[in-house]
Amino acid sequence: LAPGLVFRSMGLGFMCQALGGFLAGVPAAPSGGGKSFNGANQGSLIIALDISRFISPAAFKGEMDAYMRMTRTMQPMPGYDQATLPGVLEAQRERDWTISGIPVSREHKADLAAAAAEFGLELPF
């Protein structure tokens, strides 16, 4: 399973670079031509798909749910306590931080306080 994932990841990375980089006007090399804006070094592409054109949304959700369940049973990578898919940890943090608030370091609070003072705003903390 793992070697297949490596090659799929490489292919996906290539497609992300091609569509979100080159197509967005960010060349592979900093000296490359074709840039629309000097200094641009990031690009993105958003594609919206109508799932129902390929598979019923209920069947797709069922497949995604099964894949997520399967992923949770995998052995985690060294240094991690659980195997997850992209977005799982972020969704958990969002749920947690909705209750407890977003953690902000002392330095970041000072930066926010300075910006708030500059604009005459009050901080919520």
Side-chain angles (χ1 to χ4, degrees), residues 6-103:
V6 170
F7 291 115
R8 281 183 278 190
S9 295
M10 289 170 58
L12 183 57
F14 168 77
M15 291 308 301
C16 288
Q17 182 62 45
L19 298 175
F22 310 144
L23 190 63
V26 180
S31 60
K35 271 190 176 181
S36 300
F37 302 97
N38 286 337
N41 62 5
Q42 300 292 311
S44 64
L45 174 71
I46 296 172
I47 299 174
L49 299 173
D50 180 356
I51 293 169
S52 66
R53 300 276 184 177
F54 304 92
I55 186 174
S56 82
F60 182 74
K61 181 181 182 321
E63 288 296 322
M64 292 299 295
D65 290 345
Y67 193 64
M68 290 184 73
R69 281 191 303 276
M70 183 181 72
T71 301
R72 286 193 296 264
T73 67
M74 295 173 67
Q75 181 174 342
M77 297 287 288
Y80 293 89
D81 352 336
Q82 60 181 343
T84 64
L85 292 170
V88 170
L89 298 176
E90 293 80 1
Q92 182 60 51
R93 278 189 212 116
E94 182 178 351
R95 285 190 296 273
D96 293 345
W97 293 350
T98 297
I99 296 165
S100 65
I102 299 171

